[in-house]
Amino acid sequence: MRIGELAARAGTTTRTLRYYESRGLLPARRTGNGYRSYDESDLRLLRQIRTLQDFGFDLEETRPFVECLRAGHPEGDSCPASLAVYRRKLGELDSLIGELATVRDTVARQLARAELAAEAEAPGGPEPQCELGGDTW
């Protein structure tokens, strides 16, 4: 298949495919007339790359998965290098989750402090106001 058909089937652009080719992730086969030529295995590589990127992997992190597929394995994550990337990514995610939990705790404490301060200033809440004239009831 030609580059436009592959891009359409993979849900991406021809520009993206040329970029993947320049990074060595997609093979650069040419027909006799110079057109890029792809097959179903290339579509499979693209789907692996796109899935991993959707999960937050950067392009270089997809390389071991692509190489695993190219080596003839049924899945891109059945090779030791791919498993190492999964482990590293999980470590990054665990770290980010920890950081977010810390930020969440800080925001929760700030909210509780602010609510106590607001309650102390106006035990019954703010005085009701007429929305039409702004007068106190």
Side-chain angles (χ1 to χ4, degrees):
M1 76 186 89
R2 292 186 29 194
I3 193 168
E5 181 184 350
L6 179 63
R9 289 183 63 191
T12 190
T13 64
T14 57
R15 182 178 181 179
T16 298
L17 298 185
R18 287 190 298 271
Y19 179 68
Y20 291 169
E21 182 183 311
S22 75
R23 299 293 305 269
L25 292 168
L26 196 60
R29 293 183 302 273
R30 300 280 181 156
T31 62
N33 59 6
Y35 290 119
R36 287 174 173 88
S37 176
Y38 302 98
D39 59 26
E40 292 299 317
S41 67
D42 299 319
L43 180 59
R44 195 164 165 227
L45 294 177
L46 278 173
R47 287 184 174 149
Q48 178 76 79
I49 292 167
R50 304 283 295 171
T51 297
L52 291 169
Q53 286 192 305
D54 288 347
F55 292 156
F57 288 68
D58 67 37
L59 191 56
E60 195 56 36
E61 289 173 319
T62 69
R63 188 172 301 280
F65 297 86
V66 169
E67 290 171 356
C68 190
L69 285 172
R70 281 188 180 157
H73 295 275
E75 301 294 330
D77 59 4
S78 58
C79 296
S82 303
L83 298 175
V85 172
Y86 274 155
R87 286 185 197 98
R88 194 169 45 250
K89 184 57 83 174
L90 277 176
E92 290 173 17
L93 292 170
D94 288 343
S95 177
L96 288 171
I97 289 168
E99 290 174 28
L100 285 172
T102 300
V103 170
R104 186 196 184 288
D105 290 345
T106 301
V107 171
R109 283 193 306 276
Q110 286 294 103
L111 174 61
R113 182 202 53 77
E115 288 176 336
L116 284 174
E119 184 68 27
E121 287 180 14
E127 297 249 347
Q129 302 222 348
C130 175
E131 292 181 20
L132 298 175
D135 296 330
T136 303
W137 290 65

